[in-house]
Amino acid sequence: MANPEFKEDLDVLDKLSVCLYRLGISLFSIGCLLAAALSYEGITLASVTSPFDQWIFWMLLTSTVLSAANIHVYDKTVRTVVMWSGWLALLLVVTGFPTWVSLGFCFVVFSGIALKESFCFRVPGLKLIPVLLVIAVLCTALNKLPVLVALYTTVGGIMGFLSFKKWQMPLHFDIGLKANYQI
């Protein structure tokens, strides 16, 4: 976890990684809101068939990889679980697994991010994100559209507010003290 009271000198790669991490959170929020609109129209991401479905699914997957690859967590084990969940989501899509399985691993990444950020921010509902995302995976697999609309809208709104707050912060807040990272 970063210490906002300490200002580390950031190089270009540090700044880029923080911006990509924040971009991933922003894209995830937008992707969830678009998935809510898709669910409202009677379509789930359980079977991606149209170009618009694919576009939303790939937006969620891209946001996952961006955030997972650039997460800043001191603990090596937590960082590894979050990062590898993101890469596993991508691998499952490439190997032909159902999209809802890949979404499950995307949601593992953002559950970890939500819990990580809940230690730094008092964003209402942030600690509920993991529960909401588990329910969303189940509802996607079971094709429960009305529930998905509510879940994706709630998650998209909470993560959107988090994204808004993150972009207002100085970049060094995300890094903290580099010496504290387990390698």
Side-chain angles (χ1 to χ4, degrees), residues 11-181:
D11 60 21
V12 173
L13 290 178
D14 291 331
K15 292 176 183 176
L16 180 63
S17 72
V18 171
C19 289
L20 290 174
Y21 172 75
R22 292 177 181 185
L23 177 63
I25 294 172
S26 300
L27 287 176
F28 182 73
S29 171
I30 294 167
C32 283
L33 294 173
L34 290 172
L38 198 65
S39 298
Y40 184 76
E41 293 297 321
I43 304 166
T44 69
L45 292 174
S47 58
V48 177
T49 54
S50 77
F52 188 63
D53 304 353
Q54 290 177 353
W55 189 77
I56 294 171
F57 178 72
W58 282 99
M59 176 186 270
L60 291 171
L61 195 59
T62 302
S63 69
T64 300
V65 171
L66 283 173
S67 291
N70 294 291
I71 192 166
H72 300 97
V73 178
Y74 292 150
D75 187 82
K76 181 180 178 179
T77 306
V78 173
R79 190 172 59 245
T80 302
V81 168
V82 171
M83 287 174 60
W84 279 103
S85 294
W87 293 118
L88 188 56
L90 184 61
L91 180 66
L92 290 173
V93 169
V94 172
T95 56
F97 275 79
T99 55
W100 67 268
V101 176
S102 180
L103 273 178
F105 284 96
C106 291
F107 293 168
V108 167
V109 169
F110 282 99
S111 293
I113 288 171
L115 291 176
K116 169 203 177 281
E117 296 295 345
S118 72
F119 290 109
C120 303
F121 292 103
R122 290 195 177 117
V123 174
L126 202 52
K127 288 184 180 178
L128 288 176
I129 294 290
V131 174
L132 297 175
L133 291 177
V134 166
I135 297 169
V137 170
L138 294 173
C139 289
T140 300
L142 299 173
N143 204 26
K144 302 294 182 188
L145 296 170
V147 179
L148 276 174
V149 173
L151 290 170
Y152 281 134
T153 302
T154 304
V155 170
I158 294 169
M159 294 302 281
F161 184 68
L162 172 66
S163 172
F164 176 74
K165 290 300 205 182
K166 294 286 290 175
W167 284 109
Q168 291 179 330
M169 294 177 6
L171 296 179
H172 73 273
F173 278 24
D174 278 328
I175 300 285
L177 182 59
K178 289 182 185 180
N180 287 347
Y181 284 91

